[in-house]
Amino acid sequence: MKKGISLLLAVLLVLSLAACGANTDETASDTKTVVRMATLKGPTGIGTAKLWADDDAGKAKNDYTVTLCTDPTEVLNGVVEGSYDVAAVPLNMASVLYNKLNGGVQILAINTLGTLYMLATQELADISALEGKTIVTAGQGATPEYVLNYLLEKNGLTDKVTVEFKSEHAEVATLAAAAGADDQMVYMLPEPNVTATLIQNQALKTVLDVSSAFESASGVSLAMGCIVAKKEFVEQNQAAIDAFLTEYKASVEYTATNLDDTATLCETYGIIPKAAVAKQAIPRCSITCVTGADMQKIATENLNVLLAANPKAIGGALPADDFWYGV
């Protein structure tokens, strides 16, 4: 009798341990890697909208903690301090971070191409028609200034155009929105400021696509934004990074084919304040996901332009080969 009870207890114990082991394995397989991600309001953040929504719905492969920032400096400081594992930043800032952290970040993808446009009430036949004009813009000491200077130089307009800098794009947008039909100024703005301004002032029109002009002059696409990751995080979480790139690419593709829903998500998450503005702006925001060798080629050409304009703009030097993820 005692032997029978002992045998029964032993069998129950083995079955119990097996069940616990199965539950532990199941839990482990369901564990997601936490990825602390920072993104910016405006075009640089648009590609994250669907991924953000999928994460909230529990459908993402990783567990994303997303922080929306208004100023690139917030993101830079957060990456330096170790608050973020992955971040959407302006392209030149990726290089600044690489140099500041002694190679401590890698670029995963270019996520935003050109978003700059020139607006005016008077038509321009081509870029040469800027001669004698005054261009009002913001971004002094940053990419907009360097891209504009590059275009003026390449088209022989350096001393033939007056450039008037304002402190913020919002200030330029306010001036443009108030321009009368006979206004002679040219206003250079990024999206979504362009769309919001055109809605407010129907006398304005888009007279120059700065991205197209840059590509004509340089032979390469204008790259404005990218995705970076802390190198240590990449090395310790290879599968999570690859999963992120797969999900981010899908999010970008969703943006291209589901405009209404993406515009709503942009308003929901504060990426662009109004869905109506987002819907009109997104097609001109050049949202993309370029990786590998293509990413390296486009980014390098753009960084070379910035290096020639002002080495400080990219942190003093071009990044080394270990900057490029997947190349």
Side-chain angles (χ1 to χ4, degrees):
M1 182 69 173
K2 289 181 180 179
K3 289 182 178 179
I5 293 173
S6 297
L7 179 61
L8 178 60
L9 289 174
V11 170
L12 291 174
L13 178 60
V14 170
L15 291 174
S16 176
L17 290 172
C20 287
N23 288 337
T24 300
D25 292 341
E26 182 179 353
T27 301
S29 64
D30 290 342
T31 300
K32 297 181 178 182
T33 301
V34 175
V35 180
R36 301 169 301 165
M37 181 168 66
T39 191
L40 285 163
K41 289 186 176 183
T44 310
I46 292 172
T48 64
K50 183 60 166 62
L51 176 57
W52 201 338
D54 286 345
D55 181 64
D56 283 350
K59 298 177 181 178
K61 295 179 182 179
N62 296 315
D63 181 6
Y64 297 100
T65 301
V66 187
T67 301
L68 182 66
C69 301
T70 58
D71 187 336
T73 304
E74 296 177 49
V75 185
L76 183 145
N77 291 337
V79 173
V80 171
E81 293 166 2
S83 301
Y84 307 128
D85 307 308
V86 173
V89 299
L91 177 61
N92 70 303
M93 186 172 287
S95 181
V96 170
L97 281 166
Y98 177 89
N99 286 299
K100 193 176 186 68
L101 295 174
N102 299 314
V105 299
Q106 288 186 292
I107 180 171
L108 306 181
I110 292 173
N111 75 336
T112 315
L113 296 176
T115 65
L116 291 168
Y117 297 85
M118 290 189 189
L119 309 180
T121 59
Q122 312 296 318
E123 291 281 4
L124 293 180
D126 53 37
I127 193 170
S128 65
L130 286 171
E131 184 173 345
K133 299 285 188 181
T134 296
I135 300 173
V136 183
T137 188
Q140 189 170 22
T143 300
E145 179 187 6
Y146 304 137
V147 169
L148 178 57
N149 288 344
Y150 177 81
L151 288 179
L152 295 179
E153 179 186 353
K154 287 293 183 179
N155 289 277
L157 296 169
T158 299
D159 299 320
K160 300 175 182 178
V161 173
T162 300
V163 181
E164 187 176 307
F165 284 101
K166 302 299 179 184
S167 59
E168 297 180 353
H169 293 303
E171 185 179 356
V172 179
T174 299
L175 292 171
D182 59 348
D183 189 279
Q184 298 298 310
M185 298 292 191
V186 177
Y187 303 92
M188 190 174 82
L189 285 165
E191 285 289 3
N193 300 85
V194 170
T195 294
T197 303
L198 290 172
I199 290 173
Q200 293 180 67
N201 188 347
Q202 297 183 6
L204 288 170
K205 53 186 71 70
T206 303
V207 295
L208 183 69
D209 181 340
V210 175
S211 303
S212 295
F214 181 88
E215 187 165 357
S216 295
S218 68
V220 68
S221 300
L222 175 60
M224 301 290 288
C226 65
I227 304 289
V228 298
K230 293 294 285 288
K231 190 174 183 180
E232 182 180 6
F233 184 84
V234 172
E235 292 172 347
Q236 295 176 357
N237 300 277
Q238 183 78 54
I241 287 296
D242 289 339
F244 164 75
L245 282 173
T246 298
E247 293 186 310
Y248 186 80
K249 183 177 181 181
S251 184
V252 168
E253 291 172 349
Y254 185 89
T255 297
T257 56
N258 296 271
L259 182 57
D260 287 340
D261 189 38
T262 301
T264 299
L265 290 175
C266 283
E267 179 175 333
T268 298
Y269 293 116
I271 298 168
I272 295 177
K274 297 294 182 183
V277 173
K279 183 177 179 179
Q280 294 187 52
I282 288 171
R284 290 198 293 258
C285 286
S286 304
I287 308 305
T288 190
C289 183
V290 182
T291 58
D294 291 338
M295 165 190 71
Q296 183 180 20
K297 174 179 171 53
I298 295 172
T300 299
E301 291 293 334
N302 278 261
L303 291 174
N304 273 321
V305 170
L306 298 177
L307 177 65
N310 183 358
K312 290 183 179 179
I314 64 169
L318 291 171
D321 290 343
D322 61 341
F323 180 56
W324 313 103
Y325 180 77
V327 177

